[in-house]
Amino acid sequence: MRFPTRYVVAALLALCAPANAATFSFTTDPFDGSDALITPGRQIVGGELFLSFDISNDAFTFEPTVFGGENQVLFANDVAGNLPTTDANIVVLQTLDNDADPATPFGAGNAANLIADRITSPGPGFFIYFNSGLDMPRLVFSMDLSENTADLKILARMTNLAGQSDALPTFTATNFAFVPEPSSFLLLAPAIALLAFGATATRGKQYFKALDCGSRRRSNLALVQPIQHAGVSIRLLAVGVPLSESINRLE
């Protein structure tokens, strides 16, 4: 039996993520329970998550079939005047004001308008901007980044970044991903990977060497690398033990 390589690789890489990284996943209709999409004019829907986001480690993920558009990250992080006109579905807006008047609020609608003034290719997307009234960044979904009347859904506010507008330039494409909702197959992928690679090792009569994911911490699974050696096969990995203890002989 063959298993899609992309699922096995995805499972292995997910389990090798940094121990202190957090992933905030959005997998449901952002306008569920709202009449925004049937109400004329731009509607801005709140009810966002309040969360602590570590830019150096954490990520936001989106279910592409729910949000539509591209299923790959097309990232831009700049002031409004320097944003690309096409090929952008995730924008970090470094501009903090739309009218040169610090006394007026700068909210999601203002930020969306600045982005729409630049982007010409239609399509849904996400943006992060710094809300002047809340004094913190927010993550927003737009039904169309190129349209200044598109409905908006506030997905999250990053409370740990209050007062830190200078953190906006540090967001990168690695903070975002489009990830399909896990199927029952994908949930079983780690076990399937063990069986699939184990069978390959037995047939190929090769050694397998566990590769640490970057630290000596315990891991449920690690990547494997074949070492050419005739006559012996190795158990892939024992689950929940240090990697140094995970190489054993196959029965």
Short mmCIF file of all heavy atoms in Angstrom, two decimals, residues 148-213:
data_model
loop_
_atom_site.label_atom_id
_atom_site.label_comp_id
_atom_site.label_asym_id
_atom_site.label_seq_id
_atom_site.Cartn_x
_atom_site.Cartn_y
_atom_site.Cartn_z
N ASN A 148 -12.27 48.47 -1.63
CA ASN A 148 -12.42 49.26 -0.40
C ASN A 148 -13.81 49.18 0.22
O ASN A 148 -14.09 49.87 1.20
CB ASN A 148 -12.04 50.72 -0.65
CG ASN A 148 -12.93 51.40 -1.68
OD1 ASN A 148 -13.97 50.89 -2.07
ND2 ASN A 148 -12.49 52.57 -2.13
N THR A 149 -14.68 48.34 -0.35
CA THR A 149 -15.98 48.09 0.27
C THR A 149 -16.11 46.64 0.75
O THR A 149 -17.19 46.22 1.18
CB THR A 149 -17.12 48.39 -0.72
OG1 THR A 149 -17.00 47.54 -1.87
CG2 THR A 149 -17.11 49.85 -1.13
N ALA A 150 -15.03 45.87 0.66
CA ALA A 150 -15.08 44.45 1.03
C ALA A 150 -15.34 44.29 2.53
O ALA A 150 -14.83 45.05 3.35
CB ALA A 150 -13.76 43.77 0.65
N ASP A 151 -16.13 43.29 2.86
CA ASP A 151 -16.40 42.98 4.27
C ASP A 151 -15.14 42.48 4.94
O ASP A 151 -14.31 41.80 4.33
CB ASP A 151 -17.50 41.93 4.37
CG ASP A 151 -18.85 42.46 3.90
OD1 ASP A 151 -19.13 43.65 4.10
OD2 ASP A 151 -19.62 41.67 3.32
N LEU A 152 -15.02 42.80 6.24
CA LEU A 152 -13.84 42.43 7.02
C LEU A 152 -14.25 41.64 8.25
O LEU A 152 -15.28 41.93 8.87
CB LEU A 152 -13.08 43.68 7.47
CG LEU A 152 -12.69 44.70 6.40
CD1 LEU A 152 -12.04 45.92 7.05
CD2 LEU A 152 -11.76 44.09 5.36
N LYS A 153 -13.42 40.69 8.62
CA LYS A 153 -13.59 39.96 9.87
C LYS A 153 -12.31 40.06 10.67
O LYS A 153 -11.24 39.65 10.22
CB LYS A 153 -13.91 38.48 9.63
CG LYS A 153 -13.95 37.63 10.90
CD LYS A 153 -15.08 38.06 11.83
CE LYS A 153 -15.20 37.14 13.05
NZ LYS A 153 -14.19 37.46 14.09
N ILE A 154 -12.41 40.63 11.87
CA ILE A 154 -11.25 40.68 12.75
C ILE A 154 -11.06 39.29 13.35
O ILE A 154 -11.95 38.77 14.01
CB ILE A 154 -11.44 41.71 13.88
CG1 ILE A 154 -12.02 43.02 13.35
CG2 ILE A 154 -10.12 41.94 14.60
CD1 ILE A 154 -11.17 43.72 12.35
N LEU A 155 -9.91 38.69 13.10
CA LEU A 155 -9.65 37.33 13.57
C LEU A 155 -8.96 37.29 14.93
O LEU A 155 -9.23 36.41 15.74
CB LEU A 155 -8.81 36.58 12.54
CG LEU A 155 -9.43 36.38 11.15
CD1 LEU A 155 -8.44 35.66 10.25
CD2 LEU A 155 -10.74 35.61 11.25
N ALA A 156 -8.04 38.22 15.16
CA ALA A 156 -7.27 38.16 16.41
C ALA A 156 -6.65 39.51 16.73
O ALA A 156 -6.37 40.31 15.82
CB ALA A 156 -6.17 37.10 16.31
N ARG A 157 -6.46 39.76 18.01
CA ARG A 157 -5.63 40.88 18.45
C ARG A 157 -4.48 40.30 19.27
O ARG A 157 -4.67 39.37 20.05
CB ARG A 157 -6.43 41.89 19.25
CG ARG A 157 -7.01 41.40 20.56
CD ARG A 157 -7.67 42.51 21.36
NE ARG A 157 -8.87 43.04 20.74
CZ ARG A 157 -9.63 43.99 21.29
NH1 ARG A 157 -9.28 44.52 22.48
NH2 ARG A 157 -10.72 44.42 20.69
N MET A 158 -3.30 40.82 19.07
CA MET A 158 -2.10 40.30 19.73
C MET A 158 -1.78 41.17 20.94
O MET A 158 -1.08 42.19 20.85
CB MET A 158 -0.95 40.26 18.72
CG MET A 158 -1.12 39.16 17.69
SD MET A 158 -0.35 39.48 16.08
CE MET A 158 -1.75 40.18 15.17
N THR A 159 -2.32 40.75 22.07
CA THR A 159 -2.28 41.59 23.27
C THR A 159 -0.87 41.76 23.83
O THR A 159 -0.58 42.76 24.48
CB THR A 159 -3.19 41.01 24.35
OG1 THR A 159 -2.78 39.66 24.65
CG2 THR A 159 -4.64 40.97 23.88
N ASN A 160 0.01 40.81 23.58
CA ASN A 160 1.37 40.92 24.11
C ASN A 160 2.20 41.95 23.35
O ASN A 160 3.28 42.33 23.81
CB ASN A 160 2.07 39.56 24.06
CG ASN A 160 2.25 39.05 22.65
OD1 ASN A 160 1.29 38.99 21.88
ND2 ASN A 160 3.46 38.67 22.29
N LEU A 161 1.70 42.40 22.20
CA LEU A 161 2.43 43.38 21.39
C LEU A 161 1.86 44.79 21.55
O LEU A 161 2.10 45.66 20.70
CB LEU A 161 2.41 42.96 19.92
CG LEU A 161 3.07 41.60 19.61
CD1 LEU A 161 2.95 41.27 18.14
CD2 LEU A 161 4.53 41.60 20.04
N ALA A 162 1.13 45.02 22.63
CA ALA A 162 0.59 46.36 22.89
C ALA A 162 1.72 47.37 22.97
O ALA A 162 2.75 47.13 23.62
CB ALA A 162 -0.21 46.35 24.19
N GLY A 163 1.54 48.49 22.30
CA GLY A 163 2.55 49.54 22.31
C GLY A 163 3.77 49.25 21.47
O GLY A 163 4.75 50.01 21.51
N GLN A 164 3.75 48.16 20.68
CA GLN A 164 4.94 47.75 19.93
C GLN A 164 4.68 47.81 18.42
O GLN A 164 4.77 46.81 17.72
CB GLN A 164 5.37 46.35 20.33
CG GLN A 164 5.73 46.20 21.80
CD GLN A 164 6.18 44.80 22.16
OE1 GLN A 164 7.05 44.22 21.50
NE2 GLN A 164 5.58 44.23 23.19
N SER A 165 4.36 48.97 17.93
CA SER A 165 4.18 49.11 16.48
C SER A 165 5.47 48.80 15.72
O SER A 165 5.44 48.42 14.55
CB SER A 165 3.69 50.52 16.14
OG SER A 165 4.64 51.49 16.56
N ASP A 166 6.60 48.95 16.40
CA ASP A 166 7.88 48.66 15.75
C ASP A 166 8.10 47.16 15.54
O ASP A 166 9.08 46.75 14.91
CB ASP A 166 9.04 49.25 16.55
CG ASP A 166 9.08 48.76 18.00
OD1 ASP A 166 8.10 48.12 18.45
OD2 ASP A 166 10.08 49.03 18.69
N ALA A 167 7.17 46.33 16.03
CA ALA A 167 7.28 44.88 15.82
C ALA A 167 6.75 44.48 14.44
O ALA A 167 7.07 43.39 13.95
CB ALA A 167 6.51 44.12 16.89
N LEU A 168 5.98 45.34 13.79
CA LEU A 168 5.37 44.97 12.51
C LEU A 168 6.39 44.54 11.45
O LEU A 168 6.16 43.54 10.75
CB LEU A 168 4.53 46.14 11.98
CG LEU A 168 3.27 46.48 12.78
CD1 LEU A 168 2.61 47.73 12.21
CD2 LEU A 168 2.30 45.32 12.80
N PRO A 169 7.52 45.22 11.30
CA PRO A 169 8.47 44.80 10.26
C PRO A 169 9.09 43.43 10.50
O PRO A 169 9.70 42.86 9.58
CB PRO A 169 9.55 45.89 10.30
CG PRO A 169 8.89 47.07 10.91
CD PRO A 169 7.94 46.50 11.92
N THR A 170 8.96 42.88 11.70
CA THR A 170 9.60 41.60 12.00
C THR A 170 8.75 40.40 11.61
O THR A 170 9.22 39.25 11.66
CB THR A 170 9.96 41.50 13.50
OG1 THR A 170 8.76 41.49 14.30
CG2 THR A 170 10.81 42.68 13.93
N PHE A 171 7.49 40.61 11.22
CA PHE A 171 6.69 39.51 10.69
C PHE A 171 7.27 39.06 9.35
O PHE A 171 7.70 39.89 8.53
CB PHE A 171 5.24 39.93 10.48
CG PHE A 171 4.40 39.97 11.72
CD1 PHE A 171 4.28 41.15 12.45
CD2 PHE A 171 3.72 38.85 12.16
CE1 PHE A 171 3.50 41.20 13.59
CE2 PHE A 171 2.94 38.89 13.31
CZ PHE A 171 2.83 40.07 14.03
N THR A 172 7.28 37.75 9.13
CA THR A 172 7.76 37.20 7.87
C THR A 172 6.74 36.20 7.34
O THR A 172 5.76 35.86 8.01
CB THR A 172 9.12 36.50 8.04
OG1 THR A 172 8.94 35.30 8.83
CG2 THR A 172 10.14 37.41 8.72
N ALA A 173 7.01 35.69 6.15
CA ALA A 173 6.11 34.70 5.54
C ALA A 173 6.02 33.43 6.37
O ALA A 173 5.01 32.71 6.31
CB ALA A 173 6.60 34.37 4.13
N THR A 174 7.04 33.14 7.18
CA THR A 174 7.01 31.92 8.00
C THR A 174 5.99 32.00 9.13
O THR A 174 5.70 30.98 9.76
CB THR A 174 8.40 31.62 8.59
OG1 THR A 174 8.80 32.72 9.42
CG2 THR A 174 9.43 31.42 7.49
N ASN A 175 5.43 33.16 9.37
CA ASN A 175 4.40 33.30 10.40
C ASN A 175 3.02 32.94 9.88
O ASN A 175 2.04 33.02 10.63
CB ASN A 175 4.35 34.74 10.93
CG ASN A 175 5.58 35.13 11.73
OD1 ASN A 175 6.24 36.11 11.42
ND2 ASN A 175 5.89 34.36 12.77
N PHE A 176 2.93 32.52 8.60
CA PHE A 176 1.64 32.25 7.99
C PHE A 176 1.71 31.00 7.13
O PHE A 176 2.74 30.70 6.55
CB PHE A 176 1.20 33.43 7.12
CG PHE A 176 1.24 34.76 7.83
CD1 PHE A 176 2.38 35.55 7.79
CD2 PHE A 176 0.14 35.21 8.54
CE1 PHE A 176 2.44 36.77 8.44
CE2 PHE A 176 0.19 36.43 9.20
CZ PHE A 176 1.33 37.21 9.16
N ALA A 177 0.59 30.29 7.06
CA ALA A 177 0.53 29.11 6.20
C ALA A 177 -0.92 28.78 5.89
O ALA A 177 -1.82 29.08 6.69
CB ALA A 177 1.21 27.91 6.87
N PHE A 178 -1.13 28.19 4.74
CA PHE A 178 -2.43 27.63 4.39
C PHE A 178 -2.33 26.13 4.57
O PHE A 178 -1.52 25.46 3.93
CB PHE A 178 -2.80 27.98 2.94
CG PHE A 178 -3.12 29.43 2.75
CD1 PHE A 178 -2.15 30.32 2.29
CD2 PHE A 178 -4.38 29.92 3.03
CE1 PHE A 178 -2.44 31.66 2.12
CE2 PHE A 178 -4.68 31.26 2.87
CZ PHE A 178 -3.71 32.14 2.42
N VAL A 179 -3.15 25.59 5.45
CA VAL A 179 -3.07 24.18 5.82
C VAL A 179 -4.46 23.57 5.73
O VAL A 179 -5.36 24.02 6.44
CB VAL A 179 -2.50 23.99 7.23
CG1 VAL A 179 -2.45 22.51 7.58
CG2 VAL A 179 -1.13 24.62 7.36
N PRO A 180 -4.66 22.55 4.88
CA PRO A 180 -5.97 21.91 4.81
C PRO A 180 -6.37 21.30 6.14
O PRO A 180 -5.52 20.88 6.93
CB PRO A 180 -5.77 20.82 3.75
CG PRO A 180 -4.59 21.27 2.96
CD PRO A 180 -3.71 22.00 3.92
N GLU A 181 -7.67 21.27 6.40
CA GLU A 181 -8.18 20.64 7.61
C GLU A 181 -7.73 19.19 7.64
O GLU A 181 -7.84 18.47 6.65
CB GLU A 181 -9.71 20.71 7.62
CG GLU A 181 -10.37 20.13 8.86
CD GLU A 181 -10.18 21.01 10.09
OE1 GLU A 181 -9.67 22.13 9.96
OE2 GLU A 181 -10.55 20.55 11.18
N PRO A 182 -7.17 18.71 8.78
CA PRO A 182 -6.68 17.34 8.83
C PRO A 182 -7.80 16.34 8.58
O PRO A 182 -8.88 16.45 9.14
CB PRO A 182 -6.14 17.20 10.27
CG PRO A 182 -5.97 18.58 10.75
CD PRO A 182 -6.96 19.43 10.04
N SER A 183 -7.52 15.39 7.70
CA SER A 183 -8.46 14.30 7.51
C SER A 183 -8.10 13.17 8.48
O SER A 183 -7.08 13.21 9.16
CB SER A 183 -8.36 13.78 6.08
OG SER A 183 -7.08 13.23 5.84
N SER A 184 -8.92 12.16 8.52
CA SER A 184 -8.62 11.03 9.40
C SER A 184 -7.32 10.37 8.97
O SER A 184 -6.56 9.85 9.78
CB SER A 184 -9.77 10.01 9.36
OG SER A 184 -10.01 9.59 8.03
N PHE A 185 -7.04 10.42 7.65
CA PHE A 185 -5.78 9.87 7.17
C PHE A 185 -4.61 10.62 7.74
O PHE A 185 -3.64 10.05 8.22
CB PHE A 185 -5.74 9.91 5.65
CG PHE A 185 -4.38 9.54 5.08
CD1 PHE A 185 -4.03 8.23 4.89
CD2 PHE A 185 -3.45 10.53 4.79
CE1 PHE A 185 -2.79 7.89 4.39
CE2 PHE A 185 -2.21 10.20 4.30
CZ PHE A 185 -1.88 8.88 4.09
N LEU A 186 -4.70 11.97 7.68
CA LEU A 186 -3.57 12.78 8.14
C LEU A 186 -3.34 12.61 9.63
O LEU A 186 -2.21 12.62 10.10
CB LEU A 186 -3.83 14.25 7.82
CG LEU A 186 -2.68 15.22 8.10
CD1 LEU A 186 -1.43 14.76 7.39
CD2 LEU A 186 -3.06 16.62 7.67
N LEU A 187 -4.42 12.44 10.40
CA LEU A 187 -4.26 12.23 11.83
C LEU A 187 -3.52 10.93 12.12
O LEU A 187 -2.87 10.79 13.16
CB LEU A 187 -5.63 12.22 12.51
CG LEU A 187 -6.38 13.56 12.48
CD1 LEU A 187 -7.77 13.39 13.06
CD2 LEU A 187 -5.62 14.63 13.24
N LEU A 188 -3.63 9.97 11.21
CA LEU A 188 -2.94 8.70 11.39
C LEU A 188 -1.58 8.69 10.70
O LEU A 188 -0.87 7.69 10.76
CB LEU A 188 -3.80 7.55 10.82
CG LEU A 188 -5.10 7.27 11.56
CD1 LEU A 188 -5.91 6.22 10.81
CD2 LEU A 188 -4.84 6.81 12.98
N ALA A 189 -1.22 9.79 10.06
CA ALA A 189 0.01 9.81 9.26
C ALA A 189 1.27 9.43 10.03
O ALA A 189 2.13 8.76 9.50
CB ALA A 189 0.17 11.19 8.60
N PRO A 190 1.44 9.88 11.31
CA PRO A 190 2.66 9.46 12.01
C PRO A 190 2.79 7.95 12.12
O PRO A 190 3.86 7.40 11.87
CB PRO A 190 2.49 10.11 13.40
CG PRO A 190 1.65 11.31 13.13
CD PRO A 190 0.68 10.87 12.09
N ALA A 191 1.69 7.27 12.45
CA ALA A 191 1.75 5.80 12.54
C ALA A 191 1.98 5.19 11.17
O ALA A 191 2.74 4.23 11.01
CB ALA A 191 0.45 5.28 13.15
N ILE A 192 1.33 5.76 10.15
CA ILE A 192 1.50 5.26 8.79
C ILE A 192 2.94 5.44 8.35
O ILE A 192 3.52 4.58 7.70
CB ILE A 192 0.54 5.99 7.84
CG1 ILE A 192 -0.91 5.59 8.16
CG2 ILE A 192 0.86 5.67 6.38
CD1 ILE A 192 -1.95 6.42 7.44
N ALA A 193 3.53 6.58 8.71
CA ALA A 193 4.91 6.83 8.34
C ALA A 193 5.84 5.79 8.94
O ALA A 193 6.76 5.31 8.29
CB ALA A 193 5.32 8.24 8.80
N LEU A 194 5.59 5.42 10.19
CA LEU A 194 6.41 4.40 10.83
C LEU A 194 6.33 3.09 10.07
O LEU A 194 7.35 2.44 9.78
CB LEU A 194 5.94 4.19 12.27
CG LEU A 194 6.22 5.33 13.26
CD1 LEU A 194 5.56 5.00 14.61
CD2 LEU A 194 7.69 5.55 13.44
N LEU A 195 5.10 2.69 9.71
CA LEU A 195 4.93 1.41 9.02
C LEU A 195 5.54 1.46 7.63
O LEU A 195 6.21 0.52 7.20
CB LEU A 195 3.44 1.08 8.94
CG LEU A 195 2.74 0.81 10.27
CD1 LEU A 195 1.25 0.64 10.04
CD2 LEU A 195 3.33 -0.41 10.95
N ALA A 196 5.30 2.56 6.92
CA ALA A 196 5.78 2.67 5.55
C ALA A 196 7.29 2.66 5.49
O ALA A 196 7.90 1.93 4.71
CB ALA A 196 5.22 3.94 4.91
N PHE A 197 7.92 3.48 6.34
CA PHE A 197 9.38 3.54 6.34
C PHE A 197 9.99 2.25 6.89
O PHE A 197 11.03 1.80 6.44
CB PHE A 197 9.87 4.74 7.15
CG PHE A 197 9.82 6.03 6.40
CD1 PHE A 197 9.00 7.06 6.84
CD2 PHE A 197 10.58 6.23 5.26
CE1 PHE A 197 8.94 8.26 6.14
CE2 PHE A 197 10.54 7.42 4.57
CZ PHE A 197 9.72 8.43 5.01
N GLY A 198 9.31 1.65 7.85
CA GLY A 198 9.82 0.40 8.41
C GLY A 198 9.83 -0.70 7.37
O GLY A 198 10.77 -1.47 7.26
N ALA A 199 8.74 -0.74 6.58
CA ALA A 199 8.68 -1.75 5.52
C ALA A 199 9.77 -1.51 4.48
O ALA A 199 10.40 -2.44 3.99
CB ALA A 199 7.30 -1.70 4.85
N THR A 200 10.01 -0.26 4.16
CA THR A 200 11.06 0.08 3.21
C THR A 200 12.43 -0.36 3.73
O THR A 200 13.26 -0.89 3.01
CB THR A 200 11.07 1.59 2.94
OG1 THR A 200 9.81 1.98 2.42
CG2 THR A 200 12.17 1.96 1.95
N ALA A 201 12.64 -0.16 5.01
CA ALA A 201 13.92 -0.54 5.61
C ALA A 201 14.12 -2.04 5.54
O ALA A 201 15.22 -2.52 5.24
CB ALA A 201 13.98 -0.07 7.05
N THR A 202 13.06 -2.80 5.81
CA THR A 202 13.17 -4.27 5.79
C THR A 202 13.48 -4.76 4.39
O THR A 202 14.33 -5.61 4.19
CB THR A 202 11.87 -4.90 6.31
OG1 THR A 202 11.60 -4.40 7.61
CG2 THR A 202 11.98 -6.41 6.35
N ARG A 203 12.76 -4.21 3.41
CA ARG A 203 12.99 -4.66 2.04
C ARG A 203 14.36 -4.26 1.54
O ARG A 203 15.02 -4.99 0.82
CB ARG A 203 11.90 -4.07 1.12
CG ARG A 203 10.52 -4.65 1.32
CD ARG A 203 9.61 -4.27 0.16
NE ARG A 203 9.53 -2.81 0.01
CZ ARG A 203 8.62 -2.07 0.60
NH1 ARG A 203 7.73 -2.64 1.41
NH2 ARG A 203 8.60 -0.76 0.42
N GLY A 204 14.80 -3.08 1.90
CA GLY A 204 16.06 -2.57 1.38
C GLY A 204 17.27 -3.05 2.14
O GLY A 204 18.39 -2.80 1.72
N LYS A 205 17.06 -3.71 3.30
CA LYS A 205 18.19 -4.19 4.11
C LYS A 205 19.16 -3.05 4.38
O LYS A 205 20.35 -3.13 4.09
CB LYS A 205 18.91 -5.34 3.41
CG LYS A 205 18.03 -6.53 3.10
CD LYS A 205 17.49 -7.19 4.36
CE LYS A 205 16.66 -8.43 4.04
NZ LYS A 205 16.12 -9.06 5.24
N GLN A 206 18.64 -1.95 4.90
CA GLN A 206 19.48 -0.79 5.18
C GLN A 206 19.42 -0.44 6.65
O GLN A 206 18.48 -0.79 7.35
CB GLN A 206 19.00 0.43 4.38
CG GLN A 206 19.12 0.26 2.88
CD GLN A 206 18.53 1.48 2.17
OE1 GLN A 206 17.58 2.06 2.64
NE2 GLN A 206 19.14 1.85 1.07
N TYR A 207 20.45 0.26 7.11
CA TYR A 207 20.38 0.90 8.41
C TYR A 207 19.59 2.19 8.27
O TYR A 207 19.59 2.83 7.22
CB TYR A 207 21.79 1.27 8.91
CG TYR A 207 22.47 0.21 9.73
CD1 TYR A 207 23.48 -0.56 9.16
CD2 TYR A 207 22.12 -0.01 11.05
CE1 TYR A 207 24.13 -1.53 9.90
CE2 TYR A 207 22.76 -0.97 11.80
CZ TYR A 207 23.77 -1.73 11.21
OH TYR A 207 24.39 -2.68 11.95
N PHE A 208 18.94 2.58 9.34
CA PHE A 208 18.31 3.88 9.38
C PHE A 208 18.86 4.61 10.61
O PHE A 208 18.98 4.05 11.67
CB PHE A 208 16.78 3.78 9.49
CG PHE A 208 16.12 3.58 8.18
CD1 PHE A 208 16.12 2.32 7.60
CD2 PHE A 208 15.53 4.62 7.50
CE1 PHE A 208 15.53 2.11 6.38
CE2 PHE A 208 14.94 4.42 6.28
CZ PHE A 208 14.93 3.15 5.71
N LYS A 209 19.16 5.85 10.41
CA LYS A 209 19.71 6.66 11.49
C LYS A 209 18.72 7.77 11.84
O LYS A 209 18.24 8.47 10.97
CB LYS A 209 21.03 7.29 11.05
CG LYS A 209 21.66 8.21 12.11
CD LYS A 209 22.94 8.83 11.58
CE LYS A 209 23.56 9.76 12.59
NZ LYS A 209 24.78 10.40 12.09
N ALA A 210 18.39 7.86 13.11
CA ALA A 210 17.48 8.93 13.53
C ALA A 210 18.20 10.26 13.49
O ALA A 210 19.34 10.39 13.90
CB ALA A 210 16.98 8.66 14.95
N LEU A 211 17.51 11.27 12.97
CA LEU A 211 18.04 12.63 12.93
C LEU A 211 17.34 13.46 13.98
O LEU A 211 16.13 13.58 13.97
CB LEU A 211 17.81 13.25 11.55
CG LEU A 211 18.49 12.55 10.38
CD1 LEU A 211 18.15 13.30 9.10
CD2 LEU A 211 19.98 12.51 10.58
N ASP A 212 18.08 14.03 14.88
CA ASP A 212 17.48 14.89 15.89
C ASP A 212 16.86 16.10 15.22
O ASP A 212 17.37 16.62 14.25
CB ASP A 212 18.57 15.37 16.88
CG ASP A 212 17.97 15.86 18.18
OD1 ASP A 212 16.85 16.39 18.17
OD2 ASP A 212 18.65 15.72 19.20
N CYS A 213 15.73 16.61 15.75
CA CYS A 213 15.03 17.76 15.17
C CYS A 213 15.64 19.07 15.62
O CYS A 213 15.03 20.12 15.49
CB CYS A 213 13.56 17.72 15.57
SG CYS A 213 12.68 16.32 14.87
#
